[in-house]
Amino acid sequence: MKNNLPIIALDFASGEETLTFLDLFEKERLFVKTGMELFYQEGPAIIHQLKERNCDIFLDLKLHDIPTTVNKAMKRLAGLGVDLVNVHAAGGARMMRAALEGLEEGTPAGRKRPSLIAVTQPVSTSEQVAKEELLLHKPLLETVVHYGKMAEECGLDGVVCSVHETKAIYEAVRPSFLTVTPGIRTASDAADDQVRTATPSFAKENGSSAIVVGRSITKAENPVEAYEAIKLEWEGVRR
Ligand code: C5P
């Protein structure tokens, strides 16, 4: 990943809404995340518009399908010029390797391959949901650490995980492996539907490589102020 800025989750319903939001930040360089809602609405056009604004881009589509399909999809995504993409680790080792190969093959000559990370468990998944709905009888943390190790063995660059899992993951993987952590809230915010939230400084103290922040910024009364405060808190602990 090119920089260490907090990644803003652009969970908006349209490109117009997204660009109006980004206008608030004037010429500031941002690292943004486009998820399913926005990408399915606007398609690759939104990626081109974000690149025109000089944004670094995490395209968060969480691919999970048979290896061949994921391989071909990744070839297409590699051509968009985004910086970071992801798959579900639950798709298994063959699927993760196929994803990486697709990205490598699809990256135009002379460009850097987008980093590839694996989602361990959505941060909205609780221990109870894991056991009762997904029938994952191992403790959630054990599953997440196993997924992290598997992703590393498959050559991936990192994982998406909860800040509460980063320390345990780093006991099992190399230090340069990325841990990208959503579920971030400032101390005064509501948790919304996220179950295992934490503050930016907690994320930094626990070794997170990057934080993803959505509603704490996008729904704030003053999004720019909220972003700058989160950025300071995220950077502050490092100094
Ligand atoms: O608004 P909030 O800060 O909760 O947004 C979190 C963002 O991170 C959402 O866009 C969500 O899709 C994403 N995400 C997540 N858990 C994951 C992967 C991505 O919450 N494991």
Side-chain angles (χ1 to χ4, degrees):
M1 284 192 307
K2 284 188 214 151
N3 65 50
N4 199 26
L5 296 170
I7 303 172
I8 306 177
L10 299 175
D11 292 323
F12 294 110
S14 72
E16 199 184 335
E17 225 183 299
T18 306
L19 299 180
T20 304
F21 170 80
L22 291 176
D23 283 344
L24 298 172
F25 292 83
E26 299 180 350
K27 299 236 174 302
E28 181 160 1
R29 186 180 186 117
L30 299 174
F31 197 155
V32 298
K33 180 175 89 69
T34 305
M36 297 184 207
E37 182 186 14
L38 185 58
F39 191 75
Y40 293 160
Q41 175 64 29
E42 303 292 345
I46 188 67
I47 303 298
H48 301 312
Q49 286 169 315
L50 294 173
K51 282 175 70 69
E52 270 167 28
R53 289 176 179 237
N54 209 21
C55 292
D56 290 337
I57 305 167
F58 172 14
L59 183 52
D60 177 25
L61 298 181
K62 300 186 179 72
L63 273 62
H64 187 171
D65 206 319
I66 59 169
T68 307
T69 302
V70 171
N71 175 276
K72 289 179 180 162
M74 282 298 180
K75 270 188 204 163
R76 302 277 73 80
L77 297 186
L80 295 178
V82 295
D83 301 282
L84 184 62
V85 292
N86 59 0
V87 291
H88 269 288
R94 264 187 66 212
M95 189 205 75
M96 287 196 273
R97 287 202 185 93
L100 187 60
E101 282 165 20
L103 273 186
E104 280 165 355
E105 286 164 27
T107 302
R111 282 224 226 128
K112 194 181 166 295
R113 163 179 76 71
S115 298
L116 175 63
I117 57 180
V119 177
T120 52
Q121 281 295 325
V123 180
S124 55
T125 306
S126 63
E127 193 83 44
Q128 190 186 2
V129 168
K131 279 205 171 59
E132 292 175 10
E133 296 177 19
L134 308 180
L135 301 185
L136 293 172
H137 292 299
K138 299 253 187 199
L140 197 52
L141 186 62
E142 201 178 320
T143 310
V144 165
V145 171
H146 171 68
Y147 284 179
K149 277 201 291 201
M150 192 168 63
E152 188 191 33
E153 280 161 21
C154 292
L156 271 64
D157 303 294
V159 286
V160 182
C161 63
S162 156
V163 274
H164 302 287
E165 297 154 354
T166 47
K167 276 195 171 160
I169 288 174
Y170 281 121
E171 282 169 20
V173 301
R174 65 175 193 272
S176 61
F177 198 64
L178 301 172
T179 50
V180 177
T181 56
I184 302 296
R185 294 288 177 274
T186 54
S188 56
D189 272 342
D192 300 305
D193 59 347
Q194 299 280 21
V195 176
R196 295 169 289 153
T197 60
T199 60
S201 48
F202 182 89
K204 184 53 74 183
E205 281 154 14
N206 282 270
S208 163
S209 317
I211 52 171
V212 176
V213 191
R215 287 162 286 186
S216 283
I217 296 170
T218 55
K219 302 269 187 241
E221 217 167 287
N222 185 330
V224 178
E225 265 178 26
Y227 171 73
E228 298 301 340
I230 285 168
K231 194 169 115 184
L232 270 185
E233 185 180 330
W234 170 241
E235 288 168 349
V237 185
R238 300 179 74 216
R239 284 185 197 128

